[in-house]
Amino acid sequence: MTFKPSPRNRQAAKAMEPAIDPAGWTAEDLGANDDWVYELSDVEINEVREAVSAVERRGMDILDIRAEDFPLPHFDKGLAELRDELHEGRGFNLIRGIPIADFTKAQAGIAFWGIGTRFGRMLSQNAKGHMLGHVKDFGADYEKINIRGYQTSAEMNFHSDQCDYVALMCIHPAKQGGASRIASSVTLYNEMLKTHPELVKELVEEFYLTKHGETRPGEAPWYKTPVFSFQDGYLTVRGIGIRITKAQGLPGVPPFTEAQKAAIKLFRETARKIYFDMDFRPGDIQIVHNHVMLHTRTAFEDWPEPERKRHLMRLWITPEEGDGRPVIPGYRENFQDIGVEGTVQSAPVDDLEPV
């Protein structure tokens, strides 16, 4: 089925009132058809190939690629639609058809980055300064305080990342499991409001989130933000992932109140009732708007051969200044490039060592 933009039915959102927003979809909505999948045409695939070849001929570093260095005259029309769908529509995209089997990892990274430039500016994702990240199982323990879920094979809590948009491109899927699990945080807010408005009120207040030890000298090891916030008629939801839980015990962070514990519990229980699963095919690109979407993945079993192990490339993207969904003052300041003293930004085409 051909990609179809969602109806634009959003109304101005207000705290403690139901939110009417096209990002407030249900799993039944997505399961009814696949018109939310953008399948590349032969013309668009050839444009991607040619743009990758042009970058290689120029010997450009991935970090230096700008939209003008990666021309996509036909595909740009579709990408403009997809960008609008992130801002004013469903809040996520799935692009299908990147010819990953014909690309080296370096060529895949170039293609992914070039497409990503249409959505904004890339951010560093970890203490290594990786602007092009890699989601792989390094055998790390998800329960340890400074370990992040993308380094493991574990199922994670529903969460949202420290950026406006997170993009994933599938290089290799897992042997079994590893489905991308998404949920509308707009729908979650509305469902909680129906049954427990007193707990929604708790989540309109600020919570502490850990920075996973990825700080520079003088920075606090945490930051504060509400879970549900409202700005210029737009609802923004900060996912209650492991960052909120792992902030407990950090210097200066008060313990959860009983009401906060109940609100967190209900948030997570509700997310587990409204999710939609999608399996990635090689070459799929998923882009999720963190302000209206929660995401996670199921636990997975990997292939024994290193070259076949589950591998997703990842971009964290923020829109250019003055663009993007309105957020409360100070919200995007927490989306600064992650790094520690001496971090140098880079765009490796693979990662063989955990952070």
Side-chain angles (χ1 to χ4, degrees):
M1 184 177 289
T2 304
F3 170 79
K4 182 180 179 182
S6 57
R8 299 298 189 259
N9 62 343
R10 190 182 62 80
Q11 297 180 17
K14 298 178 182 178
M16 304 306 298
E17 295 183 11
I20 298 174
D21 192 303
W25 46 261
T26 66
E28 290 73 22
D29 293 334
L30 299 188
N33 57 61
D34 60 356
D35 60 3
W36 41 270
V37 178
Y38 187 98
E39 194 125 17
L40 271 67
S41 67
D42 290 343
V43 170
E44 291 168 329
I45 291 171
N46 286 333
E47 283 185 348
V48 172
R49 291 182 189 277
E50 290 169 7
V52 169
S53 295
V55 166
E56 287 189 311
R57 286 195 299 271
R58 295 173 64 183
M60 296 183 70
D61 188 284
I62 289 176
L63 286 177
D64 297 328
I65 299 171
R66 303 293 179 262
E68 55 268 28
D69 303 311
F70 201 83
L72 300 168
H74 290 87
F75 190 15
D76 267 335
K77 298 172 186 175
L79 287 169
E81 272 193 307
L82 293 173
R83 181 173 167 277
D84 185 70
E85 191 65 24
L86 281 181
H87 281 259
E88 301 293 341
R90 298 180 185 91
F92 78 95
N93 297 317
L94 184 70
I95 302 170
R96 177 156 288 160
I98 300 297
I100 204 76
D102 301 334
F103 284 164
T104 64
K105 286 183 179 177
Q107 291 168 331
I110 292 169
F112 189 32
W113 186 282
I115 291 168
T117 61
R118 272 53 182 186
F119 296 90
R121 178 175 63 84
M122 314 309 170
L123 295 176
S124 171
Q125 305 171 32
N126 56 32
K128 290 182 177 181
H130 287 175
M131 307 288 278
L132 177 62
H134 301 275
V135 179
K136 302 172 72 174
D137 177 24
F138 294 106
D141 183 355
Y142 186 36
E143 298 303 316
K144 291 186 177 178
I145 191 166
N146 287 335
I147 293 296
R148 290 166 57 184
Y150 76 87
Q151 302 166 316
T152 77
S153 63
E155 181 169 332
M156 298 180 284
N157 293 317
F158 275 103
H159 63 280
S160 49
D161 289 342
Q162 278 184 254
C163 53
D164 285 73
Y165 320 130
V166 55
L168 296 169
M169 183 168 72
C170 180
I171 306 300
H172 298 296
K175 179 181 179 181
Q176 184 175 338
S180 173
R181 180 164 285 180
I182 59 174
S184 164
S185 47
V186 175
T187 299
L188 183 148
Y189 165 81
N190 286 334
E191 291 298 313
M192 287 186 64
L193 196 61
K194 288 178 188 176
T195 58
H196 290 281
E198 77 283 3
L199 297 184
V200 171
K201 193 171 182 179
E202 292 291 327
L203 300 180
V204 173
E205 303 300 325
E206 288 186 327
F207 277 71
Y208 290 79
L209 287 80
T210 180
K211 294 181 180 178
H212 287 305
E214 296 166 331
T215 59
R216 295 178 176 85
E219 286 185 346
W222 44 259
Y223 65 93
K224 294 193 295 182
T225 194
V227 173
F228 298 133
S229 59
F230 300 81
Q231 182 72 19
D232 298 339
Y234 284 79
L235 165 65
T236 292
V237 182
R238 178 73 213 183
I240 300 182
I242 202 72
R243 285 182 182 271
I244 283 180
T245 308
K246 287 185 176 180
Q248 292 289 289
L250 290 177
V253 178
F256 292 135
T257 66
E258 291 305 311
Q260 287 175 327
K261 289 179 183 177
I264 290 170
K265 183 173 183 287
L266 182 63
F267 185 102
R268 289 176 170 168
E269 288 175 348
T270 305
R272 289 195 290 269
K273 294 176 181 176
I274 63 171
Y275 67 80
F276 180 80
D277 280 355
M278 63 177 74
D279 288 315
F280 286 155
R281 303 177 188 176
D284 280 358
I285 295 177
Q286 180 198 69
I287 309 174
V288 169
H289 198 319
N290 283 298
H291 302 345
V292 292
M293 292 274 296
L294 304 172
H295 64 278
T296 183
R297 58 114 202 281
T298 62
F300 64 89
E301 177 188 352
D302 229 335
W303 297 97
E305 303 90 346
E307 68 277 7
R308 298 180 70 190
K309 287 186 179 295
R310 185 180 189 268
H311 181 193
L312 309 179
M313 289 186 178
R314 183 174 68 179
L315 296 173
W316 277 7
I317 308 174
T318 190
E320 299 297 340
E321 189 171 350
D323 197 3
R325 194 175 178 97
V327 292
I328 58 175
Y331 194 87
R332 281 198 180 89
E333 278 67 16
N334 295 313
F335 295 167
Q336 61 185 310
D337 291 307
I338 292 176
V340 295
E341 187 73 14
T343 293
V344 177
Q345 292 179 344
S346 62
V349 297
D350 204 347
D351 189 14
L352 304 178
E353 299 284 344
V355 174

